[in-house]
Amino acid sequence: MSYSITLFVVAFGGAVGAVSRFQITNWFTLWFGTSFPYATLAVNVGGSFIMGALMSALTHGTLISPHWRPLIGVGFLGALTTFSTFSFDTLMLFTQGEWLKAALNIIANVLLCLFAVAIGYQLLIKVQ
């Protein structure tokens, strides 16, 4: 794949990921309110699961062509998941005196994302 096509593929994946994240944030805010950053946690955990599955497929089998990595791994997941939003949400919880929620947000994001990427990775190894 040429470099210019790869750039287009990454940009397209990024657009889809950004719109998906925006919509997921709207849904979670509607469903759960804004007392805890549930949407950021959901996109980070879901994105970690997808990344684990993608990397497993690319590393251990032929379920997916390596040409999909820029679209899914860099573009879509790069725009969908967000460490900067996680960091800001956590800072806001700290500044509002919500120390327990801030700590829970840190622990939940780190542990659940690591668990999700491991599950996604292992799941596709077993499928192949």
Side-chain angles (χ1 to χ4, degrees), residues 1 5-22 43 47 50-51 54-55 58 66-82:
M1 185 172 356
I5 292 174
T6 302
L7 285 177
F8 174 78
V9 165
V10 169
F12 178 75
V16 173
V19 169
S20 298
R21 182 171 145 225
F22 178 77
V43 297
I50 295 167
M51 181 61 85
L54 173 67
M55 296 312 295
L58 292 172
H67 295 296
W68 286 95
R69 184 177 183 188
L71 173 73
I72 301 169
V74 178
F76 178 73
L77 293 176
L80 177 71
T81 62
T82 172

Side-chain angles (χ1 to χ4, degrees), residues 28-109:
F28 272 73
T29 299
L30 179 68
W31 297 334
F32 302 109
T34 58
S35 66
F36 187 82
Y38 293 107
T40 303
L41 179 61
V43 297
N44 285 343
V45 172
S48 295
F49 174 81
I50 295 167
M51 181 61 85
L54 173 67
M55 296 312 295
S56 179
L58 292 172
T59 304
H60 294 102
T62 58
L63 291 177
I64 188 168
S65 167
H67 295 296
W68 286 95
R69 184 177 183 188
L71 173 73
I72 301 169
V74 178
F76 178 73
L77 293 176
L80 177 71
T81 62
T82 172
F83 196 78
S84 57
T85 302
F86 154 72
S87 299
F88 182 76
D89 289 342
T90 304
L91 177 65
M92 289 299 96
L93 288 170
F94 276 128
T95 60
Q96 295 164 1
E98 297 284 355
W99 293 88
L100 184 58
K101 284 184 180 179
L104 178 62
N105 192 41
I106 292 167
I107 292 166
N109 268 278

